[in-house]
Amino acid sequence: DIVMTQSPSSLAVSAGETVTINCKSSQSLFGSVRQKNYLAWYQQKPGQSPKLLIYLASTRESGVPDRFIGSGSGTDFTLTISSVQAEDLANYYCQQYYDTPLTFGSGTKLEIK
Amino acid sequence: EVKLVESGGGLVQPGRSLKLSCAASGFSFNDYWMGWVRQAPGKGLEWIGEINQDSSTINYTPSLKDKFTISRDNAQNTLYLQMSKLGSEDTAIYYCARGGYGWWGQGVMVTVSS
């Protein structure tokens, strides 16, 4: 199985700051046929279902604010949230879909000071 | 509007079986892979498995392959998760999701306890 290592496990920031969440996979998620990285990011607010934010490592899902930016390739990926807002309080998960079983990172809890 | 509604959860005794359903609407169900993901209380997300459009391909996470069975009924626009030999470790919220995981249901709680 591909292991997804996510860091940090939690962080607290003030509104307006920029946040960086890291995700490292145990093997490359780059697919040579489509030349894409099969990595997604999800946001899960308290009491809600997960919501897809980013797919193919850097493509924003429709309706997702442009302050959410996905980057990285191969085994190292980053979710950057610029100018964090109070509504961004949530858990964030990375997920690889390069191979089955699909696997998630352990999550990052974002708190707003 | 895409809608996924899980049902069939509740309290079940250890060792027993339970079958969850996920009713889909608002899209052409038989055009999509469908999957199940669970989340134990206070824990992260765990992928259970997924099924392709005509049920010819079903993938599972290895640790659950012998306990859980995913199926679908395209005529009824419904996805199923048959769970057997349930233990306390299976206590979780169970979510169904459309292929690509851009759409998720609200989840259904399964509690395994005597």
Side-chain angles (χ1 to χ4, degrees):
Chain A
D1 299 3
I2 298 175
V3 176
M4 305 300 290
T5 302
Q6 200 173 327
S7 64
S9 57
S10 66
L11 71 167
V13 300
S14 300
E17 292 186 11
T18 294
V19 161
T20 298
I21 299 171
N22 301 299
C23 181
K24 188 175 182 68
S25 57
S26 60
Q27 66 184 74
S28 177
L29 305 182
F30 185 76
S32 56
V33 174
R34 290 182 65 191
Q35 299 285 294
K36 300 287 186 183
N37 288 280
Y38 294 95
L39 187 283
W41 290 97
Y42 297 85
Q43 175 193 64
Q44 187 179 31
K45 295 183 177 180
Q48 296 186 16
S49 305
K51 172 188 174 184
L52 177 65
L53 294 176
I54 304 282
Y55 60 94
L56 294 176
S58 61
T59 302
R60 223 174 282 115
E61 176 75 334
S62 176
V64 173
D66 58 8
R67 66 177 182 276
F68 291 91
I69 301 167
S71 61
S73 183
T75 61
D76 292 282
F77 301 90
T78 300
L79 175 67
T80 301
I81 311 172
S82 60
S83 190
V84 166
Q85 300 184 10
E87 67 197 49
D88 299 333
L89 178 150
N91 286 306
Y92 293 85
Y93 297 91
C94 60
Q95 179 209 39
Q96 67 80 20
Y97 53 103
Y98 178 84
D99 195 11
T100 58
L102 307 190
T103 46
F104 290 92
S106 55
T108 296
K109 183 176 184 177
L110 176 62
E111 297 176 311
I112 312 298
K113 291 179 187 174
Chain B
E1 179 197 5
V2 173
K3 203 169 182 184
L4 298 170
V5 180
E6 302 93 340
S7 61
L11 177 64
V12 59
Q13 292 180 327
R16 303 297 292 264
S17 298
L18 194 66
K19 188 172 186 176
L20 304 182
S21 300
C22 170
S25 60
F27 65 101
S28 183
F29 182 72
N30 56 12
D31 284 344
Y32 288 87
W33 283 71
M34 296 294 296
W36 288 97
V37 175
R38 71 179 181 179
Q39 186 171 36
K43 302 296 185 182
L45 301 170
E46 180 182 22
W47 183 77
I48 296 170
E50 59 188 11
I51 184 169
N52 74 339
Q53 292 89 334
D54 66 0
S55 305
S56 60
T57 301
I58 308 174
N59 298 310
Y60 297 94
T61 200
S63 62
L64 299 175
K65 186 179 172 67
D66 294 333
K67 287 180 51 165
F68 289 4
T69 302
I70 297 172
S71 62
R72 64 191 293 165
D73 183 339
N74 287 342
Q76 298 293 322
N77 291 341
T78 304
L79 175 72
Y80 300 102
L81 179 65
Q82 176 72 52
M83 304 183 291
S84 63
K85 305 172 195 171
L86 287 165
S88 58
E89 68 279 7
D90 299 312
T91 292
I93 298 172
Y94 286 75
Y95 297 100
C96 67
R98 196 177 76 170
Y101 298 87
W103 291 96
W104 295 61
Q106 84 288 351
V108 63
M109 185 71 203
V110 172
T111 302
V112 183
S113 175
S114 53

